[in-house]
Amino acid sequence: MASASLSIAFTGSGGAGVMTAGQMLLAAAGRAGHYGLMTRSMGPQIRGGESAAFLRLARHPVGAPDDRIDLLVAIDWENVTRFLAELPMDAGGLILADPAQGAVPEGLVAHGPTVGDLPLKETAKSIDGGRANMVALGAAAGIAGIDRAAVDAVVNRALGRKGEAALTAARAAIEAGFAQAREHENGHALAPPETAPAEGTRWNVSGNEATGLGALAGGVRFVAAYPITPATDVLEYLAPRLEKLGGNLVQAEDELASINMVLGAGYGGVPALTATAGPGFALMTEGIGLGIATETPAVVVDVMRGGPSTGIPTKSEQADLDIALSGMHGDAPHVVVAPNAIADCRATTEWAVRLAEALQVPTVVLSDQFMGQARAVLDAPGAAPDVPARRTAAPDDAGTYRRFAVTGDFVSPMALPGTPNGMYTADGLEHDASGAPSTLPEVHAEQLHKRRRKLEVFDYGAFWADVEGDGPAAIITWGSVTGAVREAADRLRADGHAVRVISLRLLLPAQPERLAAALEGVDRVLVVEQTEGAQFHRYLRAWYDLPADVRCLNRPGPLALRPGEIADALKEGAAP
Amino acid sequence: MTAPDTRTVTREAKHYKSDVKPVWCPGCGDFAVLTAITKALAQMGIAQEDTAVVTGIGCAARLPGYLNVYGLHGIHGRALPAATGLKLARPELTVLAAGGDGDGFSIGGNHFLHACRRNVDLVYIVMDNEVYGMTKGQASPTTEPDWSESRLTPQGPGVEPFHPLSLALISGANWIGRAFTGDPQTLTHMLVEAVNHPGLAFLHVLSPCVTYRPEQKDWKKTVRREAFTPTEDPVEAQRVLETDDGFNAGVLYHGRRPVYAPAPEATAGMADLDREFVL
Ligand SMILES: Cc1ncc(C[n+]2csc(CCOP(=O)(O)OP(=O)(O)O)c2C)c(N)n1
Ligand code: SF4
């Protein structure tokens, strides 16, 4: 029977070409009209070491890994035990491994998957210039039932510039893989797509690329940043594209410099952004406070990884929530938003830039490694809702302009350098409406109030959260975990349980009235998040009214939360 | 840097001053820097609105509030990165960064090295009083090892001071000079030269702290005016610095190092970027 979703893992030591095989399979599946998601797992080694590519191909859009893996193709077994927890193989699963690499590790066969031989090295050796990963790609594509022409098109595109010999070798290796696939148990073919997608409607994009694209769509033309995993890909995407758009990316000497460069550019009127991960974000907090005090637009993307400290740089977690919400000293109102899917990285980052500009405030985008470094075939992402542009000032006579005047909506027109009669000092010292430093209690109270209220009175519209479904039980979540939550909800609904999903995109300023409306009629809540300390649950407790029956499913990274366990957690909480 | 303003406006030094009264102690060297900046800008005819002064934190760093130009009074040690971001985003502006020795060489030390190395077209003025004035008299990276007036280091800091000019030179600054607030005319001239020279111009200003280093009032006797002969040769400048005791004034070095000023022309639009991802 053909399946609607198929999960495939490739494992191998670094250099075995696991990621290449995975990316090509994803692209080929995309060409054949399927949707797909590829996540990756890497060891700590700089080069080499173990790696694994996890793919899920399906006829519907894919937001999360499945509970189980249907097919594991192992190029070798080097250090594979490190991934055991990420390789749930059951009796329905198939492991194809090279017998020359030794026995299948026990942990993998414990639940009875079928094991088949795939003599990858030997086959590769028999082909001039043949590589084992291309044989593996052919075998996986064959088992998944992916059209050979789609695979060839991807190979041509990827290897075309390497010359005819390389192409011929790759094609022969893939052909050999397809041939071997025929020898193995064959219940795993993907059901064909319901309809062929219209030309140009599907994208192949990673979360970090989508974040970069969203930044540019929002108008960012200046970026300063310091390299850090897993945010570096955002910068690598941005550097050449900014140049094409007439903008600039500066590799700063550290994150203290990054954020201050961004503030300098923002003060100058150019939408500016930096991207980092937890350690860099921690260094930036004083600078973010300066942006808040001086009402300077700035966007800080934090692609979260395991923390605290250096933590687990290559793996995902949602544990920078606390510092993003409240890491700044003093009363420091700002905006925090979080994309909840790869596609959404684009619109949410674009929105963040627009909010920062409109509200003259540092805005934090919380993405994470899982979403950032995952790649998906998906429907072309949408754009952010409209937000008014930065309000600038052009005073017509000297001496009357007051940069921080309290207005009806608390946003004051900002004179950009170069504007006659607009000269003022953006000061991190508390200042009065004109910008002059002041220690007067009434001035402090007025300006603190202004900076808070401008964020509170703004109408963020329906984009504040994704609210889906209805019924008396709700799952409240945020960020990349939303993918697994959505799938859990779909399964529950298919089983006849009504369930609502509320995924918060706007975390600060909190929207208690909107959440109350979204929770109308709900008497039971499950909070789902990827932290050890239940940071999101505590945040919800602090800002919102929740029903009496609230449970929390939280687990630290790097293990992904799977749809099945989320569905189980919701069912467990149900009244008998 | 910015071309002189050709609009028929008479620019006087006083137009560049704000009406905020400085918090500085009477007699503080920083007053002379404030005045020199207003004179230099007036002399060059650079419009107030086309000038930005960016500082960190400290007595010296209070400068922007006292000027009637665009100002960014940021956080301790980060004047240079903020100025760098502003200048790269708005290359047509004249951007001056400024602050004290603690701000520039201690907490901001890393940015100092990298700003010199990056060589963006900025002027960086450090008002060096060899002490932390704002926090009431602690040793700074330019304080002598046996200065024992601070309760934090009662035996003196016990470490040799930095040599800011050497650091600037080896790090790649394109113009380096030392001025003294007791010679305001030369200070103004040097500022003009620093603004006009492409790349990062580092102006080290000996600016006495009359409150915590009252003995610096004697600097007017120790400073040697025009002791440096300007050179384009970094090796020669380095040789001169070997015997520098910190009291030689004048332009040390004016180089031709490449200035960092990326200004790409737009060649694509958002639609082109979207297309890259289409299957
Ligand atoms: C992050 C941070 N640490 C410490 C301080 C306290 N602080 C303010 S000014 C200053 C030193 C200023 O000395 P210097 O730069 O030499 O300038 P001066 O006051 O002598 O002009 C310090 C340590 C601060 N504002 N911020
Ligand atoms: S403490 Fe020193 S540096 Fe600060 S204002 Fe007074 S004299 Fe100037």
Side-chain angles (χ1 to χ4, degrees), chain B residues 146-206:
Chain B
D146 58 353
W147 180 73
S148 54
E149 299 297 311
S150 164
R151 274 185 277 169
L152 240 115
T153 52
Q155 314 298 322
V159 281
E160 286 300 317
F162 261 155
H163 200 302
L165 272 61
S166 300
L167 283 174
L169 184 67
I170 58 163
S171 305
N174 210 28
W175 185 99
I176 298 168
R178 185 185 284 132
F180 173 45
T181 54
D183 179 6
Q185 258 176 349
T186 313
L187 174 59
T188 305
H189 292 155
M190 288 179 74
L191 256 171
V192 171
E193 196 178 323
V195 171
N196 286 329
H197 196 85
L200 190 114
F202 171 51
L203 181 58
H204 186 220
V205 184
L206 299 174

Side-chain angles (χ1 to χ4, degrees), chain B residues 110-121:
Chain B
N110 193 33
H111 308 308
F112 179 55
L113 302 184
H114 290 277
C116 291
R117 173 179 156 247
R118 199 173 279 120
N119 204 24
V120 170
D121 192 14

Side-chain angles (χ1 to χ4, degrees), chain A residues 202-204 209 213 241 244-248 250 253-254 260-261 264 267-268 416-419 422 424-428, chain B residues 49 62 64 70-73 78 81-82 85-86 88 90 110-111 114 118 262 264 266-268 273-274 276-279:
Chain A
R202 296 263 169 95
W203 283 23
N204 181 341
E209 288 169 344
L213 183 70
R241 274 100 186 162
K244 281 189 194 160
L245 296 177
N248 259 316
V250 182
E253 55 270 31
D254 55 33
N260 284 280
M261 286 180 183
Y267 169 79
L416 304 182
T419 311
Y424 75 100
T425 293
D427 206 320
Chain B
E49 63 267 21
R62 297 292 294 247
Y70 280 91
L72 176 52
H73 182 208
R78 318 294 166 214
L86 177 56
L88 292 176
R90 298 286 309 276
N110 193 33
H111 308 308
H114 290 277
R118 199 173 279 120
T267 57
L273 301 191
D274 279 355
E276 288 179 41
F277 297 114
V278 173
L279 259 183

Side-chain angles (χ1 to χ4, degrees), chain A residues 325-396:
Chain A
L325 295 171
S326 10
M328 273 50 80
H329 63 277
D331 278 326
H334 58 290
V335 175
V336 180
V337 297
N340 62 18
I342 292 175
D344 189 48
C345 288
R346 186 197 185 283
T348 295
T349 310
E350 180 184 1
W351 196 44
V353 180
R354 298 195 188 285
L355 291 176
E357 290 287 315
L359 297 170
Q360 301 177 16
V361 73
T363 296
V364 179
V365 179
L366 285 179
S367 177
D368 63 32
Q369 184 275 337
F370 176 82
M371 185 158 57
Q373 296 195 319
R375 175 165 286 288
V377 170
L378 40 72
D379 294 318
D386 281 343
V387 173
R390 189 189 306 198
R391 203 175 302 164
T392 53
D396 53 11

